[in-house]
């Protein structure tokens, strides 16, 4: 940093000529890249062909020439009925995949009428308390026709998987036809907080058990349903950099894979439908290199460490959401450009599914208009830009290949550090991950405050507040939805068979203590009108564990 830059007041960004030429994670960038910069890069060993080991150029041979990525949208607010209406609207506009975001009470396994849910029902997502709630989300669609990704974690995901399987049965859809993604990251709700955030309402060992139960049930019964072992997106949203993102995400996945292998699951079977949910941030080439490097590391680790012989188990597949932490409340329309850049990076990086954040998400839940704009952005990239007409158009670029090599080396170094600490679960138990996240979060804020990192509309190119253009926002009445849900659940419980309900609750306890896979027992429970909160209470009691 120059002396002049050091003397600038906080909040003032440096001129372009004074910036440090490095990626967001600190990898130095040369002025010009030549063949010798790629080092010992070997085309056959490190690049290969699309769809072939080590999958640097993409997980499938034809990539977007054969199939455009899934255009996925985040929905979930108010009630299952209102959420279903938004899904139908977006589906009619051309969206073909949806991330179902759940509200805070559901995410911790509570019913909408639990005292702890007061004021939070339907605010941050859709409440799901009953099998009928899940069935409402699929009104007009079958689970074999529209792809839903349930944004949730164990232990809740075990209950929602049971609900999904039961909806398929009711609609006459065979399990082997069910599509979509079941998020299954036991640390999904941690988001950089302490371990107590994960274990406040359910014991950690029980959560890890249910994670593997889900993997086992899906891999044996639902061969087209993806199970998402790592929500790398939420990790990235805490403020970590791209190198940490790759290492923490892969390290956590490999930890869970080892637990699945210890359960006796076949390493040539269960990883076939493993998928990853990743963030694509604003540093264009770094994000592309991150995705390429992660595919290469995953392929080599699965073949060399885990001994998988099935090529399908070497292939890292992922969905991408544009970064939420790059969005600004100031001049929110600028977020359309940010999301567009991030979407193109995801395409060049070979994503299978892309979800663009709407420009108004710093203000509230997306409106229909902002959601449509995010969809149209993807459609322009897919059908007008021409960047999908050839496979891996950046392959062989001296810069991209060098940066991919650098990213791979940096991620591997971090993975080695995690391994020496006993794996990601141990790192989380000990508090190491929380410290790493907090340190990077503080660094990011200092970079913005000092102007070292440019943020348009915040520390550069600001406008007076009175010049901001007002935007429409989507508002949720938590008090209204809470009252309606309370009445719905009262009637729901009054209409069930008390003996069948009691037997189903007892079945949950017996299955837990016997060490059985819990998904069939939970399917039996939700069919007999056991609610989400009651399923969790039965599992807590089976472990002689209580949070109250």
């Amino acid at each position: 940093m120059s002396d002049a830059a050091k003397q600038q007041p906080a909040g003032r960004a440096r001129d372009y000529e004074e910036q440090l030429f490095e990626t967001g994670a600190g990898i130095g960038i040369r002025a010009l890249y030549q063949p010798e910069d790629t080092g010992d890069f070997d085309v056959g060993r490190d690049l290969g062909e699309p769809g072939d080991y080590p999958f640097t150029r993409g997980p499938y041979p034809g990539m977007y020439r054969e199939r455009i990525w899934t255009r996925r949208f985040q929905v979930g607010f108010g009630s299952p009925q209102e959420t279903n209406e938004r899904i139908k609207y977006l589906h009619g506009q051309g969206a073909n995949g949806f991330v179902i975001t759940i509200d805070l009470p559901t995410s911790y396994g509570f019913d909408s009428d639990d005292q702890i849910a007061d004021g939070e029902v339907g605010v941050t997502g859709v409440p799901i308390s009953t099998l009928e709630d899940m069935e409402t989300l699929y009104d007009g669609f079958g689970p074999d026709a529209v792809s839903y990704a349930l944004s949730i974690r164990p232990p809740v995901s075990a209950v929602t998987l049971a609900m999904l399987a039961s909806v398929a049965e009711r609609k006459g859809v065979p399990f082997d036809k069910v599509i979509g993604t079941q998020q299954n990251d036991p640390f999904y709700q941690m988001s950089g907080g302490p371990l107590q955030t994960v274990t406040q309402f359910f014991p950690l060992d029980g959560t890890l058990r249910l994670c593997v139960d889900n993997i086992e049930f899906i891999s044996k019964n639902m061969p087209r349903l993806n199970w998402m072992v790592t929500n790398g997106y939420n990790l990235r949203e805490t403020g970590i950099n791209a190198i940490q993102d790759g290492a923490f995400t892969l390290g956590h996945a490999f930890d869970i894979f080892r637990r699945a292998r210890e359960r006796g699951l076949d390493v040539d079977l269960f990883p076939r439908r493993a998928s990853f949910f990743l963030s694509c941030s604003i540093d264009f080439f770094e994000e592309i290199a991150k995705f390429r490097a992660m595919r290469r590391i995953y392929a080599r680790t699965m073949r060399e460490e885990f001994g998988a012989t099935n090529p399908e188990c070497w292939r890292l597949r992922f969905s991408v959401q544009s970064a939420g932490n790059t969005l600004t409340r100031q001049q929110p329309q600028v977020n359309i450009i940010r999301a567009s850049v991030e979407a193109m990076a995801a395409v060049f990086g070979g994503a299978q599914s892309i979800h663009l954040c709407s420009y108004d998400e710093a203000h509230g839940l997306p409106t229909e208009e902002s959601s449509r704009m995010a969809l149209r952005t993807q459609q322009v990239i897919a059908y007008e830009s021409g960047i999908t007409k050839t496979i891996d158009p950046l392959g062989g670029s001296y810069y991209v290949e060098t940066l991919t090599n650098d990213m791979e080396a940096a991620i591997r170094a971090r993975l080695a550090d995690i391994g020496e600490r006993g794996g990601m679960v141990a790192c989380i138990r000990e508090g190491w991950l929380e410290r790493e996240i907090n340190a990077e979060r503080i660094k990011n804020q200092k970079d913005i405050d000092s102007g070292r990192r440019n943020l348009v509309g915040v520390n550069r190119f600001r406008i007076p507040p009175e010049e901001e253009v007002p935007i429409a926002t989507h508002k949720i009445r938590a008090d209204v939805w809470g009252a309606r849900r309370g009445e719905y659940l009262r009637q729901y419980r009054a209409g069930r068979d008390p003996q069948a309900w009691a037997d189903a609750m007892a079945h949950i306890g017996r299955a837990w203590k016997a060490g059985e896979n819990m998904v069939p027992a939970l399917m039996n429970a939700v069919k007999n009108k056991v609610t989400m909160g009651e399923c969790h209470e039965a599992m807590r009691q089976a472990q002689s564990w209580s949070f109250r």
Side-chain angles (χ1 to χ4, degrees), residues 197-216:
T197 306
V198 177
T199 60
Q200 184 177 4
F201 302 117
F202 206 86
L204 178 59
D205 288 339
T207 298
L208 291 169
R209 168 188 168 174
L210 288 169
C211 172
V212 180
D213 280 355
N214 287 349
I215 295 171
E216 181 178 41

Side-chain angles (χ1 to χ4, degrees), residues 3 47 88 105 163 166 188 330 384 405 407 436 458 532:
D3 291 338
L47 196 59
K88 287 176 177 174
M163 290 178 175
S166 299
Y188 164 66
Q330 302 91 331
E384 293 187 30
N405 292 344
M407 285 294 297
E436 288 286 298
V458 177
M532 172 74 73

Side-chain angles (χ1 to χ4, degrees), residues 34-208:
Q34 304 285 10
E36 56 269 22
D37 293 319
T38 60
D40 65 347
F41 172 74
D42 181 273
V43 172
R45 180 193 66 204
D46 299 323
L47 196 59
E49 297 294 329
D52 289 341
Y53 183 88
F55 304 100
T56 309
R57 308 195 72 178
Y60 300 109
M63 291 303 291
Y64 308 131
R65 281 176 66 101
E66 295 183 356
R67 179 183 177 185
I68 298 297
W69 61 88
T70 301
R71 280 81 66 200
R72 196 173 292 279
F73 279 86
Q74 193 159 358
V75 294
F77 43 81
S79 70
Q81 293 82 2
E82 188 178 3
T83 300
N84 178 258
E85 289 172 6
R86 177 64 65 87
I87 291 170
K88 287 176 177 174
Y89 169 79
L90 290 170
H91 187 264
Q93 295 294 315
N96 58 352
F98 303 93
V99 178
I100 309 298
T101 305
I102 58 170
D103 69 359
L104 194 60
T106 306
S107 71
Y108 286 107
F110 295 102
D111 293 330
S112 299
D113 60 348
D114 193 294
Q115 184 178 0
I116 205 169
D118 186 36
E120 296 289 347
V121 175
V123 174
T124 58
V126 60
I128 302 176
S129 300
T130 68
L131 174 57
E132 281 66 24
D133 286 338
M134 181 68 77
E135 197 167 26
T136 298
L137 292 177
Y138 280 97
D139 180 51
F141 307 103
D144 57 340
V146 177
S147 175
Y148 288 178
L150 289 164
S151 184
I152 209 162
R153 73 170 181 94
V156 182
S157 59
V159 183
T160 57
L161 176 58
M163 290 178 175
L164 172 60
S166 299
V167 167
E169 287 184 342
R170 285 188 174 186
K171 287 181 171 284
V173 176
F175 283 175
D176 62 0
K177 302 296 184 184
V178 173
I179 62 173
T181 300
Q182 182 78 22
Q183 291 200 16
N184 191 39
D185 183 350
F187 300 110
Y188 164 66
Q189 295 293 344
M190 184 174 176
S191 300
L195 182 59
Q196 286 79 3
T197 306
V198 177
T199 60
Q200 184 177 4
F201 302 117
F202 206 86
L204 178 59
D205 288 339
T207 298
L208 291 169

Side-chain angles (χ1 to χ4, degrees), residues 211-397:
C211 172
V212 180
D213 280 355
N214 287 349
I215 295 171
E216 181 178 41
F217 186 87
I218 293 170
S219 63
K220 291 181 177 180
N221 298 284
M222 296 177 158
R224 298 186 64 197
L225 183 67
N226 301 316
W227 51 271
M228 191 173 291
V229 65
T230 305
N231 186 332
Y233 184 86
N234 277 33
L235 274 172
R236 187 67 185 276
E237 285 293 286
T238 65
I240 61 176
N241 64 45
I243 294 170
Q244 293 171 315
D245 181 12
F248 297 166
T249 298
L250 290 175
H252 177 37
F254 295 149
D255 245 17
I256 299 300
F257 286 6
R258 293 182 188 102
R259 290 174 181 269
R261 190 171 57 181
E262 290 169 2
R263 173 75 68 91
L265 303 187
D266 185 353
V267 76
D268 279 322
L269 176 65
F270 75 81
R272 290 187 305 174
R273 301 309 295 184
S275 65
F276 293 75
F277 180 33
L278 305 177
S279 173
C280 190
S281 196
I282 196 67
D283 196 319
F284 187 74
F285 286 105
E286 181 175 62
E287 293 300 306
I288 295 168
K290 178 192 75 177
F291 296 136
R292 292 161 62 85
M294 288 180 69
R295 271 198 301 269
R296 204 150 72 194
I297 293 169
Y298 183 85
R300 289 170 172 166
T301 302
M302 293 305 296
R303 189 170 80 168
E304 296 167 12
E305 179 186 329
F306 284 89
T309 59
N310 183 351
E312 291 184 42
C313 298
W314 305 335
R315 180 188 291 126
L316 182 138
R317 301 172 307 116
F318 57 85
S319 63
V320 162
Q321 181 174 339
S322 60
N325 61 10
T326 64
L327 304 180
T328 61
R329 185 175 179 84
Q330 302 91 331
Q331 302 180 52
Q333 294 85 351
V334 178
N335 293 328
I336 299 173
I337 293 95
R338 292 187 175 101
S340 300
V341 171
E342 292 165 359
M344 286 192 291
V347 172
F348 282 122
Q352 282 62 74
S353 171
I354 300 176
H355 163 214
L356 255 63
C357 290
S358 299
Y359 68 84
D360 55 356
E361 291 191 26
H363 291 257
L365 292 168
T367 62
E368 285 190 353
E369 184 274 333
S370 66
S371 295
R372 184 174 61 249
M373 177 61 71
L375 176 60
R376 294 291 182 257
T377 301
Q378 291 203 56
Q379 290 167 334
V380 168
I381 293 172
Y383 301 112
E384 293 187 30
S385 71
I387 64 176
T388 62
K389 292 182 179 179
T390 189
I391 302 165
D392 189 29
L394 297 181
S397 158

Side-chain angles (χ1 to χ4, degrees), residues 423-538:
M424 278 299 292
V425 173
C427 288
I428 292 169
R429 286 185 191 271
E430 192 271 327
W432 177 84
L433 178 62
E434 183 187 354
R435 293 192 296 272
E436 288 286 298
I437 289 171
N438 287 337
E440 194 65 22
R441 184 180 285 162
I442 292 168
K443 176 183 178 299
N444 288 339
Q445 191 61 52
K446 286 182 177 178
D447 286 349
I448 292 172
D449 292 343
S450 68
R452 186 175 186 271
R453 173 188 166 195
N454 291 325
L455 194 56
V456 173
V458 177
N459 64 7
R460 292 199 79 176
F461 312 114
R462 291 175 290 193
I463 60 175
E466 61 270 18
E467 293 183 18
E468 292 276 3
V469 179
I471 62 172
T473 57
H474 185 97
K475 298 186 183 298
I476 294 293
R477 289 287 308 278
D479 54 341
V480 172
W481 285 122
R484 291 181 184 176
R485 292 285 297 173
E487 177 59 22
Y488 159 70
L489 286 170
R490 186 191 67 78
Q491 294 181 10
Y492 185 83
R493 293 189 181 100
R496 62 192 180 188
D497 181 333
Q499 188 58 53
W501 173 85
D503 291 344
M505 288 283 284
H507 184 192
I508 292 174
R510 290 194 302 272
W512 187 280
K513 292 177 181 178
E516 298 174 9
N517 187 298
M518 290 303 299
V519 178
L522 293 169
M523 286 179 64
N524 174 68
V526 298
K527 290 174 187 176
N528 285 289
K529 294 195 169 185
V530 178
T531 66
M532 172 74 73
E534 291 166 344
C535 285
H536 281 78
E537 185 57 31

